[in-house]
DNA sequence: AGGGCAGTTGACGTTAACGTAACCCCGAAC
DNA sequence: GTTCGGGGTTACGTTAACGTCAACTGCCCT
């Protein structure tokens, strides 16, 4: 409980590959709650855990606001079943969203591929007089 | 060359499922060039063709600016080979981008699925005393 | 005293694609 | 005469996630 391994903003940036601005921004958005030593921020183990989840969430396409809500659930509920279930559902919804998005993207890809073949024919038809 | 079949803004909106604001916006961005009858806009066949391509492009994830450039190529070059090739390349690049995006999305989906299974276990472990 | 660096706050800028008033004009209908 | 419908223009608002200053403060070094 003592060696919290507090980290400065620079160390955090280096460790997670983000800018200072980002960390301050996350604090303003109440995603992180670094301690203060005078003016300076000192990030705790908890902050690191949260940041890790935040960055992971971003990869999943969660917005910062969504992540804040999820993190709050983790915090407030001392891991109560109801809250875990809620989190689980949110994640499942997001997953469904992502799958829909992927499917749409695939459709668009196929359609674009079709167009490209068409375009290729057109170009080819300009090379030769189009008469076989 | 005479029956241009001019359409009012309302008709265009109905035909393409967009708002007037959108059409005016596209004109401001030089994507459309409706004629004027006094104040009123009258959309030509050419505008309809362009709008159709624009909306198709949007589904592919092209930005309006990208579409503007592509449309300008179509216009200026009277279908010259060089310009078709250019268009083709832009489209191919975009396609590659989309495929990368899809792959990333798929990775994220798989990862999230993994997390969900983990979450499901956790929840289950709260139901029963976790001792088999 | 002066430099230099690390950190802070505050506030405005950015990008995309429109939405949303607010206010004006014009012709037809009641 | 007036209200309604359908235009039009100008211009500010929106959303997300930071970027980019500017102006300080505090501390170590020499």
């Amino acid at each position: 409980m003592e060696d919290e391994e507090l980290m400065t903003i620079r160390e955090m940036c280096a460790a997670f590959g983000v800018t200072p601005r980002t960390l301050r921004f996350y604090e303003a958005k109440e995603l992180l709650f670094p301690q203060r030593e005078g003016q300076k921020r000192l990030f705790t183990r908890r902050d690191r855990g949260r940041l890790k989840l935040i960055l992971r969430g971003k990869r999943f396409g969660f917005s910062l606001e969504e992540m804040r809500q999820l993190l709050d659930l983790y915090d407030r509920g001392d891991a109560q079943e109801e809250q875990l279930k809620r989190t689980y559902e949110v994640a499942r919804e997001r997953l469904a969203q992502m799958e829909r998005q992927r499917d749409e993207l695939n459709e668009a890809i196929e359609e674009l591929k079709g167009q490209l073949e068409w375009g290729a024919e057109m170009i080819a038809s300009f090379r030769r007089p189009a008469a076989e």
Side-chain angles (χ1 to χ4, degrees), chain A:
Chain A
M1 286 270 181
E2 233 282 352
D3 61 322
E4 266 281 23
E5 266 285 2
L6 299 175
M7 289 172 69
T8 75
I9 202 168
R10 284 289 158 201
E11 292 169 334
M12 286 292 280
C13 292
F16 290 93
V18 297
T19 72
R21 178 70 179 99
T22 299
L23 295 178
R24 297 194 191 104
F25 181 75
Y26 286 176
E27 182 184 6
K29 289 281 173 177
E30 305 197 85
L31 287 156
L32 301 178
F33 310 94
Q35 295 176 10
R36 292 305 177 100
E37 183 188 279
Q39 277 282 57
K40 300 181 180 175
R41 289 167 175 80
L42 289 178
F43 293 84
T44 70
R45 198 171 32 109
R46 175 168 171 242
D47 289 315
R48 289 193 291 281
R50 292 177 72 100
L51 181 53
K52 192 171 164 188
L53 288 178
I54 291 164
L55 297 179
R56 175 181 301 169
K58 286 197 61 176
R59 294 216 318 286
F60 294 158
F62 288 94
S63 72
L64 292 184
E65 174 55 17
E66 285 172 315
M67 285 311 295
R68 194 186 59 73
Q69 292 178 23
L70 289 179
L71 288 171
D72 284 358
L73 284 185
Y74 273 123
D75 269 9
R76 286 212 316 243
D78 21 343
Q80 279 184 24
E81 180 178 359
E82 203 42 53
Q83 316 205 327
L84 281 177
K85 271 168 66 180
R86 182 82 194 93
T87 302
Y88 183 75
E89 275 163 33
V90 172
R92 273 231 339 252
E93 277 172 35
R94 180 64 200 150
L95 176 59
Q97 239 180 71
M98 288 167 74
E99 288 179 328
R100 275 198 304 280
Q101 193 181 328
R102 179 199 51 187
D103 294 344
E104 280 176 33
L105 198 50
N106 263 330
E107 266 186 61
I109 286 174
E110 291 311 315
E111 197 175 332
L112 184 48
K113 274 188 185 168
Q115 297 288 123
L116 281 182
E117 282 168 30
W118 191 78
E121 280 172 35
M122 268 193 76
I123 290 177
S125 77
F126 273 96
R127 295 246 160 94
R128 290 150 183 275
E132 230 298 281

